[in-house]
Structures are given as structure tokens and as C-alpha cells.
Amino acid sequence: MTAVESRPAGVVLTPSPGGHRPFGARVKAYVALTKPRIIELLLITTVPVMFLAEQGVPDLWLVLATCFGGYLSAGGANALNMYIDRDIDALMDRTSQRPLVTGVLTPREGLVFGLSLAVISTLWFGLLVNWLSAALSLGALLFYVVVYTMILKRRTAQNIVWGGIAGCLPVLIGWSAVTNSMSWAAIILFLVIFFWTPPHYWPLSMKVKDDYARAGVPMLPVLASNKVVAKQIVIYSWVMVAVSLLLTPLGYTGWFYTAVALATGGWWLWEAHALLNRAKAEVTGAKLKEMRLFHWSITYVSLLFVAVAVDPFLR
């Protein structure tokens, strides 16, 4: 028989001073605070932009330094997010096993860890990459922690729209790491991620809207019908695809990127409109298939940015 600990919803467990917390479990918990799977997406948008900025293969050490600094910065932001949100994380099934909820780590440990990563990552970028990248990295961290987590998330359905700016900044960091400057190419790709974020996240929010409602977080699917959310997804999707095609007429990319952007963007729009049609038909439950678009959104951004990296070699 297996003993299962029961914990009332909303209860955050705090380790007792003398409580036994295995070293291995604590190490895993610290790693979990950084949200590694989310950081994977951030790196997918950072490295290809470095290839585009270099118009070829960038210095390998610079790539590694930028990726490691990006991991530290995003990890610090995620840890601070979990520290601030530990009360609502305890109310949601999706987040109820996070380290500061289960008590594997104390809130103080989470706070110190997050702040330490913020300082170390900024110095890492400044000393080993450049100070423009350091400023952008710190700006992304502060925007995610202060603007999104502390101000927007619990107050407005536009939280993920404007809060998503933090997730767009790695594009600028990748460009600035190579050139120590900005360009329209970086800004266009920044906008692609900006318009990608809401239609990427809203399908997941539709799936777990009961979680958000229980925690009192006003995600759009909590406040609006599936039809309204799907309409917003379609609008943002069209703008995203249109923006993604601006790189070629401005001379930054060639035929390969254009072909990939058209193919992947066309498939995205097909899926977005299919979700809207199901929502209009008042389909609910598993038949709504909202997660099809969520999973495709990850594939889309991966393929698009791979094309960003490959295109310079085919021009």
C-alpha cells in the first residue's frame, strides 16, 4: 500500500526547521524553480537570431555564454514568479506540485535563489557578452516579475498580452549579443513573438480555465466565452503571420524563410479558424480540441526560428 498525503486546496506547506529534506530532492526543486521547459522555448528564439545577425555561424563561445546567461536570467524570473504566486499556485491543480507549494523549499529559499540568479545573470551578460544584452536581460526579468506577475496577472484579462513582452526580449538579446546594437529585423521578430504569445497561451487557458477561476486569476477564457476567445486567437494569428512575412521584403531573409513562414503560418491559420468554428458550434469538452493549437504553436515557433537560422546559408 502507498500512503498518500492529503492537503486541502490552497494550503502551502512550509518545511519545519528540523524537517528532513533529502539533498537530491532539494536540488531537483531548485531546478524546477527555473521552469526548464519554458526556458527551452526562450533559447529557441535566441540562438537562431544570432545566426541571422551574424549572417552565418556566430562565435560558439558567444552562443554558449548567451544561452547560459539567458537560462540564469529566465530561471531567476521564474523562481521569483513562483515565490510571488505560491498562494494561487496552491489552488490550481496544474501548479500544486511546485516546490514552494509542497514545502520541499521554503519561500525564503525561493526568494534568495531568484534574486541571486537575477544578479549573477546580469553580471554574466555584462562582463562576458555586452552591457546592452545585460540591460535587456534585466529588463525582461523585471518586466516578468513586476509588470506581469505583480501588476497584471491578477487584475486584467490582458495580462498575457502585455506580460508576454518579457518573453519577446530574448529575441533582442540574441541580436544584441552579436551586434551590440538593434535593427528592424530584431524588432520584427520581437513582434512575431509578441503576437504569437496570446494565441499560444489562450488555448491552454481554455483547457485549464477552472484552475484559473478557482485561483481568481482573470485569464480571458475565465471571463469570456470560448467563441470570444477563439475570435481573439484568430485576430492575433493573422497579425502574427503578416508580421512574420515582413522580413523578406525588407531584405533580411530570402526564399527559404519565406516558404517556411508561409507554410507554417498557413497551417496555424487553418487550426485557428477550425478552433473558432468549433467554438461557434458550441462544442465543449474534449471535442473542442483547443490543445491542438497549443501544441502546434510550439512546433510553429520552433520551425520558424530554425528557418531564421538556416536562411542565411541559402541566400
Side-chain angles (χ1 to χ4, degrees), residues 66-286:
T66 303
C67 287
F68 186 67
Y71 183 92
L72 293 178
S73 179
N78 290 329
L80 293 171
N81 168 269
M82 287 196 200
Y83 169 78
I84 295 166
D85 278 353
R86 63 191 185 279
D87 58 334
I88 58 176
D89 283 348
L91 298 172
M92 298 192 291
D93 292 338
R94 188 171 64 89
T95 55
S96 62
Q97 295 304 305
R98 287 179 172 175
L100 301 187
V101 178
T102 61
V104 177
L105 296 175
T106 66
R108 178 182 174 82
E109 288 172 329
L111 177 61
V112 171
F113 181 66
L115 291 175
S116 299
L117 289 185
V119 173
I120 293 170
S121 64
T122 303
L123 292 175
W124 176 277
F125 268 115
L127 297 174
L128 298 179
V129 182
N130 58 58
W131 288 105
L132 175 57
S133 297
L136 290 168
S137 172
L138 181 60
L141 183 149
L142 292 175
F143 199 95
Y144 183 69
V145 174
V146 178
V147 178
Y148 172 67
T149 305
M150 298 179 67
I151 298 175
L152 296 176
K153 185 173 182 178
R154 308 192 194 202
R155 290 179 172 86
T156 172
Q158 293 295 303
N159 48 20
I160 200 65
V161 175
W162 300 106
I165 288 175
C168 306
L169 286 171
V171 173
L172 302 186
I173 293 169
W175 188 277
S176 68
V178 173
T179 67
N180 200 20
S181 65
M182 283 292 102
S183 82
W184 282 110
I187 293 171
I188 289 169
L189 289 170
F190 172 98
L191 291 174
V192 169
I193 299 301
F194 176 79
F195 291 111
W196 169 85
T197 302
H200 156 70
Y201 199 80
W202 279 334
L204 175 62
S205 300
M206 293 169 76
K207 178 73 172 180
V208 298
K209 65 181 179 181
D210 290 341
D211 256 3
Y212 284 118
R214 184 164 53 251
V217 178
M219 287 293 178
L220 184 61
V222 174
L223 303 179
S225 67
N226 288 340
K227 180 180 176 180
V228 170
V229 177
K231 282 183 177 179
Q232 290 294 309
I233 287 173
V234 167
I235 292 170
Y236 275 90
S237 297
W238 274 99
V239 177
M240 175 197 72
V241 173
V243 171
S244 74
L245 295 172
L246 291 177
L247 284 176
T248 301
L250 291 177
Y252 292 108
T253 52
W255 68 268
F256 180 75
Y257 170 84
T258 304
V260 173
L262 284 170
T264 55
W267 187 257
W268 177 298
L269 293 174
W270 175 273
E271 288 289 351
H273 279 278
L275 176 60
L276 176 58
N277 290 336
R278 291 191 293 272
K280 285 181 175 178
E282 298 185 353
V283 174
T284 58

Side-chain angles (χ1 to χ4, degrees), residues 260-311:
V260 173
L262 284 170
T264 55
W267 187 257
W268 177 298
L269 293 174
W270 175 273
E271 288 289 351
H273 279 278
L275 176 60
L276 176 58
N277 290 336
R278 291 191 293 272
K280 285 181 175 178
E282 298 185 353
V283 174
T284 58
K287 292 183 178 179
L288 183 59
K289 299 178 182 178
E290 66 279 292
M291 292 299 285
R292 280 173 59 105
L293 185 58
F294 173 77
H295 292 304
W296 169 247
S297 69
I298 298 172
T299 303
Y300 167 82
V301 80
S302 301
L303 292 175
L304 188 73
F305 276 79
V306 166
V308 166
V310 172
D311 189 84

